[in-house]
Amino acid sequence: MLEKISGLTHMPFLCKDETGKKILFYSTAKETENPLWKLHYIIGENEPYRLETGFTENAIECSPTAWQDETGWHVSFISSGNDSGVYRLYRMDGTTLDALSKPVAVRIARSGFIHEERIVVGEVQDVVHIHDTQGDRKIILPGAFLYRVAYRADFPNKLLISGDWIGETADVFTLEYDLETDTQRYLECDGSPAYKCTVLGDEILYAKRDNGGFENRHLCHSNHAHGIDCKIAEKSEDILSSSGLHITKNCGCRLSRSERAEKPVRTSCLECVEKHLGAAAVLLSEVHNGYSYRFFLIGHLHEAEEESQAWPNLHTAIQEARRNYTHTGTVPDWESLAQLVREIQINETSPLQ
């Protein structure tokens, strides 16, 4: 596969289709001072294909992951979209890889993925959030700067967390973290850290640095991954769980596998709007108690704004609330926002399509 790829490459993800044929998803860019990463994939020994997102040429696209079920393919990735500097976790769904839906923004994120009912998001520093049917929890890596969070297609409960240590000159790392057993190990290939790697069976691809910038890398292949047992990360309950804000399955944007085949992905969901506004209100009380959750509060307001696009009045009110809080610290008028939601619930049975 790798001999067919040119330019800079990183963020690989290996999986198989329903016939057992191997597929490699990855990001590639021309060898320039400021690379513009774009998503591609290779099926077996075929030529590389561009994974079309419809974003502008200036949009960075990276960290692809994908899985297939009876409804087709489901791809997630991180991108700046058509905005400047705002990165989000996106997903695309379709019966085949060349017939995927337009990207749908799930939430603000610099790293992370979606796999079935699980959403994983990495903060810039220290923390990885896991949200799935088992509840909400987090993995903390004190002092780590996180670059990528992915998983093994053959063992989806095993996360692959890549980063480095803030303030240290040591090289990068990839930590394999098993969500079922809490087993942790550093992954190495050919005597070096397996940075931004993907693992499938006994095969591993990782991004090896060349001369030049930090991300001037090319994918390398190995069948000799070495794991070093460690205990650097700690898993605990996330704040959203203690607030009773669990992931629900009843809202329009969280469909079961069978429902995905019948209904398209929706970009607006009133239940999700309520969920994000509720999370923001809870986090505001924590901010007032001295906790540094301002970033998450703004993130939830932004997600409520994104999910409310089908209702212009509500969308504008949330947008103004977010901007006012971001720039002046003005507390949102929760009661007014709740009233707008209630009016929609009474007057409309579903959002505009």
Side-chain angles (χ1 to χ4, degrees):
M1 284 182 166
L2 297 186
E3 65 273 9
K4 297 179 179 294
I5 301 174
S6 61
L8 301 176
T9 50
H10 72 165
M11 302 283 198
F13 184 79
L14 276 173
C15 62
K16 293 182 179 179
D17 65 13
E18 75 281 0
T19 67
K21 189 172 294 184
K22 195 179 303 178
I23 301 180
L24 170 62
F25 295 84
Y26 62 97
S27 294
T28 185
K30 295 180 180 179
E31 299 194 30
T32 61
E33 184 176 351
N34 297 303
L36 283 173
W37 301 96
K38 295 295 181 181
L39 301 178
H40 289 73
Y41 65 95
I42 298 177
I43 302 176
E45 298 302 321
N46 294 328
E47 294 298 316
Y49 292 93
R50 174 84 165 87
L51 194 63
E52 295 294 344
T53 64
F55 292 150
T56 65
E57 285 303 311
N58 292 328
I60 292 176
E61 305 162 0
C62 61
S63 199
T65 64
W67 86 94
Q68 188 181 32
D69 60 19
E70 64 271 18
T71 69
W73 279 97
H74 313 279
V75 178
S76 70
F77 62 97
I78 300 293
S79 178
S80 58
N82 291 323
D83 295 333
S84 57
V86 179
Y87 286 84
R88 297 179 177 88
L89 174 62
Y90 288 88
R91 69 176 294 165
M92 298 189 294
D93 306 89
T95 54
T96 61
L97 289 175
D98 58 359
L100 295 173
S101 64
K102 292 182 179 180
V104 175
V106 177
R107 58 172 296 165
I108 294 175
R110 292 300 295 251
S111 64
F113 64 86
I114 301 170
H115 177 258
E116 296 186 348
E117 301 300 325
R118 175 176 292 157
I119 300 176
V120 176
V121 173
E123 295 182 30
V124 174
Q125 182 178 337
D126 297 343
V127 183
V128 176
H129 299 275
I130 302 102
H131 310 277
D132 58 22
T133 55
Q134 299 180 31
D136 300 337
R137 57 249 196 244
K138 60 185 175 183
I139 296 173
I140 302 177
L141 294 79
F145 194 95
L146 305 181
Y147 296 121
R148 189 193 190 192
V149 183
Y151 66 95
R152 292 182 55 161
D154 51 357
F155 293 100
N157 284 317
K158 292 185 177 182
L159 304 186
L160 299 174
I161 307 170
S162 294
D164 63 13
W165 301 107
I166 297 172
E168 297 185 12
T169 58
D171 205 346
V172 293
F173 68 84
T174 289
L175 177 72
E176 183 185 77
Y177 189 104
D178 192 321
L179 291 173
E180 289 186 333
T181 65
D182 295 329
T183 302
Q184 308 171 36
R185 60 176 188 158
Y186 286 116
L187 295 183
E188 292 187 348
C189 282
D190 306 321
S192 300
Y195 180 62
K196 291 183 178 178
C197 68
T198 183
V199 184
L200 188 66
D202 62 355
E203 184 176 7
I204 183 168
L205 301 179
Y206 63 101
K208 185 176 182 180
R209 186 176 182 180
D210 301 323
N211 295 327
F214 179 73
E215 294 294 4
N216 281 49
R217 299 175 185 267
H218 291 86
L219 295 183
C220 293
H221 174 274
S222 177
N223 290 110
H224 303 286
H226 176 58
I228 303 173
D229 292 340
C230 62
K231 190 68 176 178
I232 64 169
E234 179 180 351
K235 186 171 67 176
S236 63
E237 185 180 31
D238 210 349
I239 183 174
L240 294 185
S241 285
S242 61
S243 306
L245 300 173
H246 298 280
I247 290 179
T248 63
K249 292 185 177 180
N250 298 322
C251 67
C253 67
R254 294 193 184 281
L255 305 177
S256 68
R257 288 186 177 184
S258 60
E259 289 173 324
R260 289 183 196 133
E262 301 175 1
K263 299 180 182 179
V265 175
R266 292 166 61 177
T267 58
S268 293
C269 172
L270 196 59
E271 185 175 333
C272 285
V273 171
E274 287 188 291
K275 177 186 69 176
H276 287 298
L277 289 178
V282 170
L283 290 173
L284 182 61
S285 67
E286 298 290 348
V287 170
H288 289 166
N289 288 331
Y291 292 94
S292 56
Y293 294 136
R294 181 177 183 272
F295 176 80
F296 303 117
L297 194 163
I298 294 172
H300 276 293
L301 287 175
H302 186 276
E303 291 305 306
E305 180 184 334
E306 293 259 309
E307 291 281 359
S308 64
Q309 295 178 58
W311 305 282
N313 290 341
L314 178 61
H315 177 71
T316 300
I318 296 174
Q319 183 180 68
E320 291 178 354
R322 176 184 61 80
R323 289 175 175 173
N324 289 337
Y325 180 78
T326 301
H327 298 298
T328 67
T330 302
V331 174
D333 186 342
W334 304 116
E335 185 57 38
S336 295
L337 294 174
Q339 181 60 36
L340 287 173
V341 171
R342 284 194 293 269
E343 290 174 358
I344 293 170
Q345 290 172 332
I346 293 172
N347 297 325
E348 298 185 11
T349 58
S350 63
L352 301 174
Q353 299 299 316

